[in-house]
Amino acid sequence: MKNPILFNEIYETHYPKVIRLCKGYFNGDADLAADASQEVFIKVWENLNRFRMESSISTWIFRITVNTCLIYLRKKSTRKEIHTEHFPQLTHETYHPETEDKLKQLYACINKLDETGKMIILMVLEGMPYDEIAHVIGITEETLRVRIYRIKKSLTQCVQK
């Protein structure tokens, strides 16, 4: 049985994180990120009753988001529609133009990372706990810390160029 109230709560809590993660995958392209985010929440809606609570809901949603973004990158024509009378209001983030330029530069540098590096840093930027990131990626927390250090060093060099 689908629970629209629970879904709306999940959507309102996680949408800002999902859209930022998607923007990271699509080099700041807000339209593509919005499309992918909508696809993520369609999948969440369709599978919410099958969520087994083996991880936190945020870890599950991040995994769906990463997989959806990777699918979009491989095949941009993949689109799904859902028809409902009640869908939560979309939230939009706006930034000062200077901040927007810095974010675009950061997204461009993030986009140069390999898929795993991109996944790691985008989850770190969202404040996801290291143990959850390690679980999503499938590595130890110690290995994750080393990867994060190297990724941050690489991004710092990229942004400074």
Side-chain angles (χ1 to χ4, degrees):
M1 182 80 188
K2 307 252 189 216
N3 183 341
I5 295 170
L6 175 62
F7 174 78
N8 288 345
E9 199 175 295
I10 290 168
Y11 180 88
E12 289 172 13
T13 302
H14 296 281
Y15 182 82
K17 295 174 186 176
V18 168
I19 190 81
R20 284 191 298 267
L21 187 60
C22 290
K23 278 184 181 179
Y25 271 93
F26 305 127
N27 203 21
D29 184 327
D31 292 334
L32 191 54
D35 288 349
S37 297
Q38 187 173 19
E39 178 76 22
V40 167
F41 285 101
I42 289 170
K43 290 176 182 178
V44 169
W45 171 255
E46 291 174 343
N47 296 292
L48 189 56
N49 58 342
R50 287 185 277 205
F51 177 61
R52 295 186 306 260
M53 308 291 264
E54 291 174 0
S55 63
S56 73
I57 191 98
S58 62
T59 302
W60 181 64
I61 291 172
F62 271 108
R63 188 73 245 173
I64 292 170
T65 303
V66 167
N67 289 340
T68 301
C69 290
L70 292 175
I71 289 167
Y72 262 67
L73 288 171
R74 290 183 189 121
K75 187 176 180 185
K76 290 185 180 179
S77 65
T78 303
R79 299 289 187 266
K80 219 178 199 185
E81 289 184 24
I82 189 168
H83 299 282
T84 182
E85 291 155 17
H86 182 73
F87 203 72
Q89 197 67 15
L90 288 177
T91 58
H92 298 283
E93 294 179 326
T94 55
Y95 300 102
H96 185 274
E98 186 177 310
T99 304
E100 193 69 40
D101 289 342
K102 288 179 181 178
L103 283 171
K104 284 183 181 179
Q105 184 181 9
L106 178 61
Y107 284 137
C109 290
I110 289 172
N111 210 32
K112 293 177 183 176
L113 297 171
D114 65 16
E115 283 185 12
T116 305
K118 191 183 302 185
M119 203 181 330
I120 290 170
I121 198 62
L122 291 171
M123 287 188 274
V124 167
L125 290 172
E126 282 305 319
M128 193 168 176
Y130 284 9
D131 61 329
E132 288 186 31
I133 296 172
H135 178 73
V136 169
I137 304 296
I139 58 177
T140 66
E141 210 172 319
E142 186 176 311
T143 302
L144 175 68
R145 290 179 190 281
V146 171
R147 293 282 311 263
I148 290 170
Y149 173 79
R150 290 179 183 158
I151 291 167
K152 285 181 177 179
K153 186 176 177 182
S154 169
L155 289 175
T156 301
Q157 291 171 347
C158 177
V159 169
Q160 290 175 349
K161 286 183 180 176

